């Protein structure tokens, strides 16, 4: 509970008197590029395989001849858009981005770089942390869209390569009963997850005390806490928004 | 001028600073001297507000600093240049970018002016060729010098250096001391230098404070430091052989002189 209070206090610091908008903008773009480039590869690999595996497993379970094969395409679409793309991507990003945020900030803290900023009269939270959070809010939804696209593509490839269903059937399935709100829902989720991961990891890194060992510990803690937060938020989002 | 009064600080039940008073005047080399672990860095951090003292007051030119509002602290801090003991360079930036950083954030200089200033500062610390290197590619002493260049880049009113010449060869060390002295005089800066280097204390210390176990045991001009009767300071100064020998020679000379005088008197 005390930690949660400290966390809220930390968040309130983010919006206090910061640097000029131009600096904030430049810093955010820098951070966004780092997050994007750092994680696009792993997100692409994970998404493609998740889509492929989902397709293969559904077709394995779908033995009833009365159900058209195109249902596989439909189910892959529903599963990836609603759950797999936003949540799995975010969990992957919690590992990748969360640990790098916490490790970076933790190192800056123990090598007194944060203090150096403070002594210059710069608000270190708004200079270091705010751009990271804004960048995550900006980049996560983009990565989730990429992930949706690649998962569905992965399913298509797996389906047609394994001969489970033809490309035509898959596409028919994709087009069945499409609900645009599901995309909105996934994007809302990705924004929520982005905020949770970046703020929790920043908090862990920013308040690191001690030496290199503690930086490692802060990274691990950042990832564990972010993942738990993402899963809880996933459940709550489903309850509230669906 | 910076005044501190009755500064106390305890870490986990261990008293690190135990009621320190002091006045640091501008245009002078104020030096904090003391053995490792006596709380010199902690005192410096208290003065700039990175460590919150348990008790005590700190004023910058009459303006209350400790426990004041963050806005006012930040305003005062924008006039501070500080070299950290571990240099604290931003490791995601090149050497030039490090030195340019405070100029970019705190002044409205144009890009050309900033680059000129960066080059000037790097040249003053003898690193004009290292501008494009990353901090991880530098030696410890080079990092120190970049840290000094970054501290003096904006024209600060207060300059704090935590062991500016530790880890440097004697020649470079003198250059750095000389540089700090020069800008202190030129811009009438309030400078505080933490050191355990007796050479620089003897050469440059206008106002030396000796800290021992969190207390200030001695204060004065460096020219009077050799005559001190404070045992701890004596032990500190004469811990190395050269200094001890120097003192011995002095003592012998003194004894000889006295003997001569006695003889004269006897005659
Ligand atoms: N953040 C901290 N938490 C707990 N103890 C601390 C902290 N910072 C400093 N100390 C303790 O305060 C004491 C003084 O430390 P300080 O860094 O001021 O020494 P110093 O005089 O600068 O020594 P050196 O010459 O080796 O740099 C040390 O015993 C140290 O263990
Ligand atoms: Mg120190």
């Amino acid at each position: 509970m005390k930690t949660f209070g400290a966390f809220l206090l930390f968040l309130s610091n983010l919006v206090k008197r910061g640097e000029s908008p131009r600096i904030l903008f430049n810093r955010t773009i820098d951070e966004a590029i780092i997050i994007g480039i750092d994680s696009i590869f792993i997100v692409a690999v994970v998404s493609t395989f998740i889509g492929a595996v989902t397709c293969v497993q559904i077709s394995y379970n779908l033995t009833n001849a009365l159900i058209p094969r195109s249902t596989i395409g439909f189910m892959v679409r529903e599963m990836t858009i609603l759950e797999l793309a936003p949540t799995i991507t975010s969990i992957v990003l919690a590992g990748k981005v969360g640990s790098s945020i916490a490790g970076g900030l933790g190192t800056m803290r123990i090598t007194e770089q944060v203090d150096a900023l403070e002594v210059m009269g710069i608000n270190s939270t708004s200079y270091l942390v705010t751009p990271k959070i804004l960048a995550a809010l900006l980049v996560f939804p983009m990565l989730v869209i990429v992930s949706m696209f690649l998962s569905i593509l992965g399913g298509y490839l797996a389906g047609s390569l394994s001969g489970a269903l033809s490309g035509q059937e898959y596409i028919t399935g994709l087009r069945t009963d499409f609900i645009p709100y599901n995309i909105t829902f996934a994007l809302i989720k990705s924004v929520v997850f982005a905020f949770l991961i970046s703020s929790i990891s920043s908090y862990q890194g920013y308040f690191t005390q001690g030496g290199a060992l503690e930086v490692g510990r802060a990274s691990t803690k950042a990832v564990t806490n972010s993942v738990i937060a993402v899963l809880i938020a996933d459940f709550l989002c489903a309850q509230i928004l669906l | 001028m910076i005044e501190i009064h009755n500064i106390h600080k305890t870490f986990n039940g261990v008293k690190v600073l135990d009621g320190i008073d002091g006045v640091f005047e501008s245009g002078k080399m104020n030096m904090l001297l003391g053995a490792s672990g006596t709380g010199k860095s902690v005192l410096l951090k208290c003065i700039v507000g990175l460590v919150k003292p348990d008790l005590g007051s700190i004023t910058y030119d009459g303006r209350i600093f400790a426990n004041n509002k963050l806005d006012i602290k930040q305003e005062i801090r924008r006039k501070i240049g500080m070299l950290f003991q571990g240099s604290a360079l931003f490791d995601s930036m090149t050497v030039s970018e490090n030195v340019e950083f405070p100029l970019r954030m705190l002044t409205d200089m144009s890009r050309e002016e900033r680059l000129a200033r960066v080059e000037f500062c790097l040249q003053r610390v003898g690193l004009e060729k290292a501008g494009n290197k990353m901090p991880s590619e530098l030696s410890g002493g080079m990092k120190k010098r970049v840290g000094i260049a970054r501290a003096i880049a904006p024209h600060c009113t207060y300059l704090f250096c935590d062991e500016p010449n530790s880890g440097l060869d004697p020649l470079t060390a003198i250059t750095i001391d000389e540089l700090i002295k020069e800008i202190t005089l030129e811009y009438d800066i309030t400078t505080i230098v933490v050191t355990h280097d007796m050479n620089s204390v003897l050469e440059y210390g206008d106002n030396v404070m000796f800290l021992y176990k969190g207390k200030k045991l001695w204060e004065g001009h460096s020219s009077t430091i050799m005559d001190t009767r404070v045992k701890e300071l004596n032990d500190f100064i004469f811990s190395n052989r050269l200094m001890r020998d120097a003192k011995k020679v002095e003592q012998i000379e003194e004894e000889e002189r006295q003997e001569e005088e006695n003889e004269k008197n006897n005659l």
Side-chain angles (χ1 to χ4, degrees), chain B residues 102-114:
Chain B
L103 301 174
R104 199 151 49 85
M105 297 298 287
L106 308 178
T107 69
D108 38 18
M109 285 179 168
S110 72
R111 193 171 154 71
E112 288 75 37
E113 286 172 313
R114 292 199 307 254

Side-chain angles (χ1 to χ4, degrees), chain A residues 1-197:
Chain A
M1 217 53 226
K2 216 173 120 195
T3 322
F4 190 67
F7 179 63
L8 290 184
L9 212 63
F10 171 71
L11 291 183
S12 73
N13 253 329
L14 295 175
V15 286
K16 266 194 206 145
R17 206 187 90 99
E19 308 313 319
S20 70
R22 194 176 51 85
I23 290 175
L24 184 65
F25 178 77
N26 289 343
R27 292 263 308 122
T28 305
I29 298 299
D30 287 348
E31 295 287 349
I33 291 172
I34 295 174
I35 295 180
I37 291 180
D38 257 11
S39 29
I40 185 77
F41 176 72
I42 182 79
V43 166
V45 172
V46 169
S47 309
T48 314
F49 276 91
I50 292 263
V53 171
T54 314
C55 178
V56 171
Q57 289 195 350
I58 292 175
S59 88
Y60 169 74
N61 283 308
L62 210 69
T63 45
N64 192 333
L66 289 178
I67 301 173
R69 299 304 284 173
S70 66
T71 313
I72 300 173
F74 170 77
M75 286 178 76
V76 170
R77 185 198 78 203
E78 287 298 287
M79 285 178 71
T80 41
I81 290 181
L82 269 184
E83 183 62 20
L84 297 179
T87 310
I88 302 279
T89 304
S90 295
I91 286 178
V92 168
L93 290 178
K96 187 90 189 165
V97 177
S99 65
S100 110
I101 289 181
L105 285 177
T107 308
M108 290 191 78
R109 164 66 73 190
I110 64 158
T111 55
E112 298 179 321
Q113 294 176 49
V114 176
D115 290 346
L117 283 174
E118 287 287 332
V119 169
M120 289 176 195
I122 295 166
N123 184 345
S124 61
T125 22
S126 66
Y127 180 79
L128 291 174
V129 180
T130 311
K132 286 189 201 298
I133 294 182
L134 290 179
L137 294 179
L138 196 70
V139 175
F140 274 40
M142 295 188 204
L143 289 170
V144 166
I145 290 174
V146 171
S147 162
M148 287 174 187
F149 180 76
L150 288 177
S151 300
I152 290 174
L153 185 71
Y156 175 85
L157 291 177
S160 39
L161 288 181
S162 68
L165 77 170
S166 73
Q168 197 52 53
E169 284 173 313
Y170 189 79
I171 288 171
T172 314
L174 288 185
R175 289 182 168 169
T176 316
D177 297 332
F178 178 66
I179 310 169
Y181 175 74
N182 285 355
I183 302 251
T184 318
F185 173 68
L187 292 182
I188 292 174
K189 279 212 300 193
S190 71
V191 169
V192 172
F193 298 164
F195 179 76
L196 288 174
I197 292 171

Side-chain angles (χ1 to χ4, degrees), chain B:
Chain B
M1 185 167 76
I2 297 172
E3 287 164 277
I4 60 174
H5 181 62
N6 200 25
I7 304 286
H8 286 262
K9 181 72 198 176
T10 306
F11 281 117
N12 316 322
V14 181
K15 195 122 207 157
V16 176
L17 297 177
D18 193 3
I20 302 214
D21 298 302
V23 176
F24 305 96
E25 287 174 25
S26 65
K28 284 189 176 172
M29 291 286 269
N30 298 289
M31 291 193 157
L32 291 174
L33 180 66
S36 181
T38 42
K40 305 182 297 292
S41 298
V42 172
L43 179 58
L44 210 54
K45 284 184 185 170
C46 283
I47 294 175
V48 297
L50 288 174
V51 170
K52 197 168 177 287
D54 301 334
L55 194 71
S57 72
I58 296 163
T59 55
Y60 282 70
D61 291 315
R63 299 180 72 188
I64 295 170
F65 182 76
N67 302 323
N68 212 329
K69 285 205 280 302
L70 187 67
D71 289 5
I72 295 173
K73 269 192 190 172
Q74 285 192 338
E75 197 191 314
I76 293 176
R77 278 176 172 171
R78 282 169 188 255
K79 298 187 198 146
I80 292 178
M82 179 157 179
L83 166 72
F84 284 81
Q85 189 166 3
S87 307
L89 301 181
F90 301 121
D91 48 21
S92 57
M93 301 181 194
T94 65
V95 166
S96 303
E97 286 166 348
N98 261 286
V99 181
E100 192 192 350
F101 183 79
L103 301 174
R104 199 151 49 85
M105 297 298 287
L106 308 178
T107 69
D108 38 18
M109 285 179 168
S110 72
R111 193 171 154 71
E112 288 75 37
E113 286 172 313
R114 292 199 307 254
L115 291 183
R117 179 80 189 150
V118 168
E119 201 178 312
F120 174 77
C121 291
L122 283 179
Q123 198 198 331
R124 290 302 297 270
V125 296
L127 286 175
E128 60 273 28
K129 295 214 181 67
N132 290 325
K133 290 208 163 115
M134 296 306 283
S136 55
E137 298 169 306
L138 302 181
S139 72
M142 287 164 92
K143 282 186 193 157
K144 273 248 134 94
R145 287 186 277 157
V146 177
I148 290 172
R150 184 176 71 183
I152 64 172
H155 294 287
C156 51
T157 318
Y158 313 101
L159 179 64
F160 305 110
C161 297
D162 199 340
E163 304 191 7
N165 53 17
S166 69
L168 298 182
D169 61 282
L171 214 62
T172 319
I174 289 174
T175 328
I176 295 298
D177 285 340
E178 199 62 57
L179 171 66
I180 295 173
K181 171 105 187 176
E182 210 179 295
I183 60 170
T184 301
L185 290 180
E186 193 177 337
Y187 300 104
D188 196 33
I189 295 173
T190 305
T191 303
I192 305 180
V193 177
V194 169
T195 186
H196 11 159
D197 183 355
M198 278 313 292
N199 282 335
S200 50
V201 169
L202 290 173
E203 190 79 22
Y204 300 99
D206 293 321
N207 173 34
V208 184
M209 288 186 188
F210 175 68
L211 298 188
Y212 184 80
K213 294 198 173 155
K215 281 192 164 39
K216 184 174 81 183
L217 289 192
W218 187 87
E219 180 175 9
H221 192 272
S222 59
S223 56
T224 59
I225 202 170
M226 301 297 254
D227 311 326
T228 174
R229 301 249 171 269
V230 177
K231 184 180 173 306
E232 289 82 1
L233 180 55
N234 249 314
D235 290 347
F236 184 87
I237 301 173
F238 300 107
S239 54
N240 79 36
R241 262 239 322 267
L242 199 66
M243 284 295 201
R244 267 205 306 271
D245 290 349
K247 178 125 186 172
K248 249 183 225 153
V249 170
E250 222 170 64
Q251 275 172 349
I252 293 171
E253 278 174 357
E254 177 85 354
E255 278 164 20
E256 278 175 359
R257 221 183 42 211
Q258 235 151 39
E259 267 173 33
E260 266 174 35
E261 256 169 43
N262 287 345
E263 275 172 26
K264 260 188 217 158
N265 290 345
N266 288 345
L267 278 176

